[in-house]
Each structure stands twice: as C-alpha cells, then as structure tokens.
C-alpha cells in the first residue's frame, strides 16, 4: 500500500490564501468600506492588474521605493514593458482619461474600486506582496469640501465596522507655488546631517521623501527640520484651514502631522493617513490626498483631483486587535438531511426550490447515516434542519427541526417553502 503524497506547493512568499470562515469577514469589510461611497454618488471602476511600466514611473514617481525597489515587472512579450499595479490612483486616472469621462458630464468624476495590488516588499504582519484595497477618486474639481467629503467617508466606513482605536493624521504639502521654496530650505537642512549615500541621493532628487524615512537614526536627526506648514502660501493655508474646519464641523477628529508626506510623489496640498494603534510597525490602515498635477504628468489636461485607498487586510487586523467580531448572516439557513435515495430525490428538488425562493439552503451530500448527517447540519450553522425518510414522504411531510431548541415539527411538503419564508430566512 503506497502512502498518499501530499502537495509540496505552498502560497508564494508574502501572500496568503483567503479561506472560509475568515473570507466572509473580508467580504463584509469590502462591503462596508465601499458603502459610504456608493451613497455619495461614486460609481464602480475596475482596471487591469497590469499596466505600462511608464504609467507608474511617471505617476507614482521615479525616486519612490515603490518604483525603484518594489514594483513587479512582467516578462516582456514583444515590445511591451508591463508591471503589476502597485497602487490604484494612476490606473483609475489613466482609465478615466482614456474614456474621456471628464468630458461626459459634471465634474468631479467620482469613482471607487476594489481589488488586489502588488509590491515586492519584505513580508511581515500587515505587509504583503499581494494586498487588497478599497479606493476612491474624485477627478476634476479643486474644492476643499471634496477633500473633506472623502476623509469623512473613510472615517464613516471605519466607524461602521465598529473600529475606535485609530486616529486621523493630516498635513498639507503645498502646491507648485510654495513647495519649491520649502524644498530648497529642507535640502539645505538635510545637507548638514549625517546620512548614508542613498539617502543623500534622495535628498537631491526628492527631499520630502526623507521625512518619510522610518529609521530611528534618521528620525532623531529630523527633529529640527523645517516644517512645510510654515512655508505654505496664502492660498494653500486657506485651503488647508477650510478642510480642517469642515472636518471639525462633521465631528471628525484629527491630528496635525507636519512630517506626513506618504510614499507617492503625486500628492499636493491635503495629505492624510488613518493609523491604528494595535498593528505595530504597519500601523496605517488607509490614506490618501490631493493630486492636482497627476493628470498633466500622464499627458492629460489639468484635472485637479483627490482620493484615498483603505487597506482591507489591515482593517481585518485592526478588527482583530480590537476584538471585534462582525455580525454576519449565516452562510446556510436550512440544511436538508435525506434518509434514503427516494427521500434524497425529493429533498434535492426542495433544496433547489428554496434557493430560488431566496433561502440559503444546503443538502447532506455523500453522508451515510443520520448521526453524521445531523453533525454536518450542526456544523453548517443552519437555523433549521429538514429531515425526511420514506415514512415522512408517504405522509407528504418533512420534519422541520429547530437547531437551537431541538424542537421538531412535521411540515407539509407543499407548504415547506412558504413556511420557511414566513420565518424570515
């Protein structure tokens, strides 16, 4: 007798399989993160998981870690140079420009998406090489109320899940008028620090990214770095103050984060991040900001825009950290157990009928013996079990068992669907 050989294949490093029952929670998280968007007039968009490499190098930024170190490039076929999408905004804007959505009606164009994104990162809890996000983009309007709307929608989404132990961090990155002045002042300061060669190179290419460096020896030296907020022009100051005023009026608490720049080059003015105190190093559960120049960087018209991405994986971990279990409907409401072939034929037909009537119903397949079948019914989480044998069928009934109380009553076959519908299943 040969021993059965188990598969030696495992999920790739930095990825995981999403399996029942936790997969039901992931689906619920996606649903609740997107629900406020749908109520606010955002339409669903889906883009390819791979795009032209240049879309990300131009949009996300040549000097970012995402482009230089973390992007998954695909093997060339012909002359195309493709990469798996590391984030959602560039793809959504590309799709909107390609379809001329900005010319079809009133601006802003409001879009939301849900999907997987890919970065070649060092795997750890909360940081995966394939990760899931729900995102939103509002394209074509420069209005502090739009920035505030998106932040409020994200806050509403997290609160709808019961999350409480998170905070909202906000900063303004200025615009093309005032940011160059700050950039020069920051570079002058950074040149006085003790930095490694790669960080010095970053100081010259994109000094704001140094503020985002998480290494303790860098953060200590940045204590006296000039603050961007002190260099904002009057327009950017007024814009930032209006966003904060609207958030306060809506009851959304926030903290000023003068070093918050996030990891993408395209942000201007408003930038924000939601962080959770139960996740350790990977504390961000979502974030975003305004990106007024990205459309032009991609070859499109001036299209001031704002958006965010919320992490489904990290939101799941945040729920775990707070001990929150979502109240989800059971996958199965009714579980049918047939005693004999004739009974199975009858119950199989009733199972199909119940499903078509909107009742979540399952059947004991390939199970021999009433004892094992009822164990399966119990494991299914069903509220009721349908049990039928030859004697029941001869009388035109099935036995309806309440799996909570154990009470069992006969129900006429013809009245089965209406009886179960009355129980609001």
């Amino acid at each position: 007798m040969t021993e059965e050989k188990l598969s030696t294949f495992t999920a790739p490093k930095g990825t995981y399989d999403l399996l029942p029952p936790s997969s039901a929670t992931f689906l619920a998280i996606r649903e609740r993160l997107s629900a406020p968007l749908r109520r606010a007039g955002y339409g669903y968009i889906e883009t390819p998981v791979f795009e032209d490499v240049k879309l990300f190098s131009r949009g996300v930024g040549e000097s970012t870690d995402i482009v230089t170190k973390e992007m998954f490039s695909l093997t060339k076929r012909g002359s195309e140079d493709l990469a798996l999408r590391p984030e959602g905004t560039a793809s959504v804007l590309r799709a909107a420009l390609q379809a001329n959505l900005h010319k079809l009606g009133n601006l802003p164009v409001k879009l939301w998406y849900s999907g997987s994104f890919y970065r070649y990162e060092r795997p750890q809890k909360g940081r995966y090489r394939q990760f899931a996000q729900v995102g939103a983009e509002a394209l074509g309007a420069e209005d502090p109320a739009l920035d505030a709307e998106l932040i409020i929608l994200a806050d509403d989404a997290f609160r709808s899940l019961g999350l409480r132990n998170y905070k909202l961090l906000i900063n303004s990155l200025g615009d093309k008028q005032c940011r160059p002045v700050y950039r020069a002042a920051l570079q002058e300061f950074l040149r006085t620090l003790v930095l490694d060669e790669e960080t010095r190179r970053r100081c010259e290419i994109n000094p704001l990214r140094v503020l985002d460096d998480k290494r303790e020896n860098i953060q200590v030296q940045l204590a006296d770095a000039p603050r961007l907020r002190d260099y904002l022009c009057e327009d950017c100051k007024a814009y930032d103050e209006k966003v904060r005023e609207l958030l306060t009026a809506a009851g959304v608490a926030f903290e000023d984060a003068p070093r918050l720049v996030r990891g993408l080059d395209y942000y201007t003015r408003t930038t924000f991040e939601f962080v959770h105190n139960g996740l350790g190093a990977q504390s961000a559960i979502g974030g975003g900001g305004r990106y007024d120049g990205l459309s032009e960087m991609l070859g499109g018209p001036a299209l001031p825009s704002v958006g965010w991405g919320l992490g489904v994986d990290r939101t799941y971990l945040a729920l775990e950290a707070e001990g929150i279990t979502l109240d989800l409907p059971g996958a199965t409401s009714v579980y049918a157990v047939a005693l004999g072939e004739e009974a199975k034929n009858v119950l199989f037909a009733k199972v199909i009928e119940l499903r078509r009537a909107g009742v979540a119903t399952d059947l004991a397949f390939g199970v021999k013996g009433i004892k094992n079948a009822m164990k399966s019914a119990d494991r299914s989480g069903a509220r009721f079990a349908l049990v039928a044998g030859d004697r029941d069928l001869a009388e035109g009934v099935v036995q309806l068992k309440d799996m909570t109380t154990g009470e069992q009553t006969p129900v006429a076959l013809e009245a089965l669907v209406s009886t179960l519908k009355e129980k609001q299943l």
Side-chain angles (χ1 to χ4, degrees), residues 339-375:
L339 307 177
E341 281 303 309
E342 187 182 346
K344 188 167 186 178
N345 289 337
V346 173
L347 280 188
F348 184 81
K350 283 297 173 186
V351 165
I352 300 302
E353 192 178 345
L354 283 165
R355 288 172 180 170
R356 287 173 175 168
V359 179
T361 311
D362 203 354
L363 178 69
F365 292 98
V367 179
K368 295 179 181 177
I370 181 68
K371 189 175 180 181
N372 285 336
M374 292 309 292
K375 280 183 179 177

Side-chain angles (χ1 to χ4, degrees), residues 9-17 123 129-130:
F9 292 109
T10 58
K13 186 178 181 181
T15 68
Y16 61 91
D17 298 308
R129 291 178 175 176
Q130 176 177 318

Side-chain angles (χ1 to χ4, degrees), residues 111-317:
L111 303 168
W112 76 273
Y113 57 89
S114 176
S116 294
F117 300 87
Y118 309 86
R119 294 184 193 175
Y120 190 80
E121 299 193 273
R122 182 172 56 84
Q124 63 187 90
K125 186 175 182 180
R127 178 191 274 171
Y128 308 108
R129 291 178 175 176
Q130 176 177 318
F131 56 96
Q133 283 189 346
V134 169
E137 315 293 346
L139 313 174
E142 186 179 5
D143 188 335
L146 195 57
D147 302 35
E149 174 185 91
L150 272 165
I151 295 170
I152 292 164
L153 290 173
D155 189 66
D156 287 349
F158 287 135
R159 293 199 171 277
S160 75
L161 288 161
L163 289 175
R164 293 293 179 268
N165 298 338
Y166 67 88
K167 58 186 176 181
L168 168 62
L169 308 177
I170 291 185
N171 193 22
S172 175
L173 297 182
D175 62 11
K176 59 185 178 184
Q177 303 301 322
C178 55
R179 189 150 59 174
V181 181
Y182 172 70
R183 187 180 188 274
L186 180 60
Q187 279 181 319
E188 187 177 340
F189 171 81
L190 293 174
R191 287 171 187 142
T192 67
L193 305 184
V194 180
L195 304 171
D196 58 87
E197 193 173 328
E198 184 180 346
T199 307
R200 285 199 174 282
R201 189 161 54 247
R202 180 169 285 169
C203 291
E204 301 308 315
I205 300 170
N206 189 348
L208 269 71
R209 293 285 293 114
V210 180
L211 299 177
D212 198 37
D213 197 310
K214 300 296 189 290
R215 290 174 295 177
E216 192 175 338
N217 66 314
I218 302 292
Q219 283 298 315
V220 168
Q221 296 186 75
L222 291 173
D224 297 322
R227 300 194 326 161
L228 206 159
R229 192 170 179 77
D230 297 331
Y231 288 78
L232 294 180
C233 62
E234 291 306 312
D235 285 349
C236 286
K237 273 183 191 173
Y239 195 100
D240 184 49
E241 285 167 8
K242 187 62 179 178
V243 172
R244 293 167 187 244
E245 177 189 314
L246 291 169
L247 293 178
T248 301
V252 176
F254 58 85
E255 292 182 15
D256 186 49
R259 291 190 205 164
L260 178 64
V261 296
R262 308 235 341 123
L264 308 166
D265 278 0
Y266 51 61
Y267 287 126
T268 56
R269 290 191 170 174
T270 310
T271 187
F272 56 90
E273 194 164 85
F274 290 89
V275 294
H276 194 279
N277 64 13
L279 300 188
Q282 303 305 316
S283 61
I285 55 175
R290 176 157 284 280
Y291 47 95
D292 289 344
L294 181 56
S295 176
E296 292 151 289
M297 288 164 66
L298 299 183
L303 206 61
S305 305
V306 61
W308 51 241
L310 309 183
V312 178
D313 321 75
R314 291 191 187 173
T315 300
Y316 181 91
L317 294 174

Side-chain angles (χ1 to χ4, degrees), residues 27-89:
L27 288 174
I29 290 171
R30 282 192 175 110
E31 166 65 26
R32 296 195 196 180
L33 291 181
S34 62
L37 296 167
R38 298 195 299 274
R39 291 194 295 268
Y42 288 73
Y44 183 68
I45 184 172
E46 196 164 307
T47 63
V49 299
F50 54 87
E51 299 265 11
D52 189 314
V53 165
K54 291 190 289 294
L55 175 67
F56 303 120
S57 58
R58 279 190 207 169
V60 177
E62 291 277 12
S63 68
T64 62
D65 285 348
I66 292 172
V67 169
T68 60
K69 298 177 182 178
E70 298 167 5
M71 205 151 60
F72 278 98
S73 296
L74 300 180
T75 303
K76 283 186 180 181
R77 297 279 183 181
S79 60
E80 292 182 303
D81 198 359
L82 304 172
L84 294 177
R85 60 188 185 190
E87 58 92 51
T89 300

